[in-house]
Amino acid sequence: MRIIIFRRPSWRNLALWGILLFVIIAYRENVASVFSGKLKPIYSVNVNTKDIGITFDISWGEETAEPILDILKKEGIRATFFLSSPWAEKHQELVRRMVADGHEIGSHGNRHIDLITLGPEEIEKEILTAQQVLEEVTGQKIRLIRTPNGAYNNKVIFTADKLGYRVIQWSVDSLDWKRPGPEAVVNNVLNGLRPGNGAKPGDIILFHASDSAPDTIKALPTIIQQLKRKGNNLIPVGKLLEEASSTWPPESNLKEERLTGK
């Protein structure tokens, strides 16, 4: 007969397990974000309407933003502009026009660098530095962010979420920054980079209003008019989120993850 002897754990082992348990409970959100591998930005949403989010990134340039604002005003479209804070500080009149025209302002960060290369404290500093500038210029509460170059990881998303931000990606890419020509920009949005993946309700479209994307000025009227003919409404991302029953991918529903402890 085999006898199994259970040894009483030492006080040191018990202390170590106690410390580990305390760390997990106290920092459970950080632990989840690091080990789950599931934190994602919002690429699109599920809606019962025919609304589509329209967004523009601006980090540099003098020529493209104003013509785009003219087109949006003529077409009666309100969009979300993700602005880098140095650009916004330098072009305050244009930013104030965006606000006056009814557009939503989001953050495109401070320095145009990949936040994934920074530590949590540096990420927080980048976000808050941009927030201070953007809120002073716009008078809006800034709580949407599109990270520079769309770069993200758990650390970036968790830090942004902790600061009250929702990280916004895109599901339809115009690729206008590649300067493929206006016809290609139109096709990328309406038909998709792969056939059948064009803009549809709940999608978020990515454009640029920096000077790197001059084709957008010529492509935008056609895109707007074609989507209107399909019965779609182009709206700011913040409004799209208000209508959403859920966001995609599921890992972007951070509040739900926190509640379930996943």
Side-chain angles (χ1 to χ4, degrees):
M1 181 177 179
R2 188 176 181 181
I3 300 175
I4 300 175
I5 300 175
F6 293 95
R7 295 183 177 180
R8 179 180 297 177
S10 69
W11 67 268
R12 289 180 181 176
N13 288 338
L14 288 172
L16 287 173
W17 279 109
I19 292 170
L20 179 61
L21 182 61
F22 172 81
V23 170
I24 291 174
I25 293 173
Y27 298 98
R28 58 190 179 277
E29 294 175 350
N30 296 42
V31 171
S33 71
V34 171
F35 293 108
S36 70
K38 292 182 178 180
L39 301 187
K40 298 286 185 181
I42 296 169
Y43 283 79
S44 63
V45 304
N46 296 311
V47 291
N48 295 320
T49 66
K50 300 197 74 175
D51 292 340
I52 296 172
I54 179 170
T55 69
F56 298 85
D57 292 358
I58 309 181
S59 55
W60 68 279
E62 313 288 336
E63 306 296 333
T64 306
E66 191 163 14
I68 286 176
L69 288 173
D70 292 339
I71 294 167
L72 295 175
K73 187 169 186 177
K74 180 180 179 181
E75 296 290 342
I77 300 296
R78 294 179 178 179
T80 300
F81 284 86
F82 289 100
L83 308 179
S84 68
S85 57
W87 186 91
E89 194 167 32
K90 184 178 179 181
H91 301 86
Q92 295 189 28
E93 289 187 12
L94 267 178
V95 178
R96 291 191 182 99
R97 178 187 168 180
M98 292 173 186
V99 174
D101 285 355
H103 300 297
E104 177 180 54
I105 305 301
S107 174
H108 199 37
N110 180 39
R111 296 176 293 169
H112 201 271
I113 58 175
D114 290 355
L115 296 182
I116 61 175
T117 65
L118 306 178
E121 290 184 359
E122 293 176 294
I123 294 170
E124 185 168 329
K125 182 178 179 181
E126 288 292 310
I127 293 174
L128 293 178
T129 298
Q131 178 181 320
Q132 182 177 0
V133 172
L134 293 173
E135 290 188 343
E136 285 179 359
V137 175
T138 66
Q140 293 186 3
K141 186 176 182 180
I142 308 298
R143 287 300 179 268
L144 299 179
I145 185 169
R146 174 169 287 151
T147 58
N149 300 315
Y152 70 88
N153 57 14
N154 282 353
K155 177 177 57 178
V156 171
I157 294 176
F158 176 78
T159 303
D161 182 66
K162 183 180 72 171
L163 296 174
Y165 279 82
R166 305 190 81 175
V167 183
I168 307 299
Q169 208 78 338
W170 57 88
S171 51
V172 176
D173 194 344
S174 68
L175 291 181
D176 52 358
W177 62 274
K178 290 189 172 183
R179 304 190 181 194
E183 290 183 2
V185 173
V186 171
N187 183 67
N188 291 341
V189 174
L190 297 183
N191 300 316
L193 303 182
R194 292 177 296 174
N197 288 329
K200 61 186 181 302
D203 274 331
I204 297 172
I205 305 173
L206 169 63
F207 291 105
H208 293 81
S210 294
D211 288 357
S212 59
D215 294 336
T216 307
I217 297 170
K218 294 182 179 179
L220 193 57
T222 300
I223 292 169
I224 292 172
Q225 291 158 16
Q226 289 292 330
L227 289 174
K228 281 182 175 180
R229 289 191 186 103
K230 294 179 181 180
N232 297 121
N233 300 311
L234 294 169
I235 64 174
V237 169
K239 187 174 180 181
L240 190 70
L241 292 175
E242 290 176 1
E243 300 176 354
S245 57
S246 61
T247 61
W248 190 91
E251 295 84 4
S252 65
N253 289 288
L254 299 184
K255 303 306 179 185
E256 180 178 341
E257 285 192 1
R258 287 181 171 186
L259 289 173
T260 59
K262 295 180 181 178

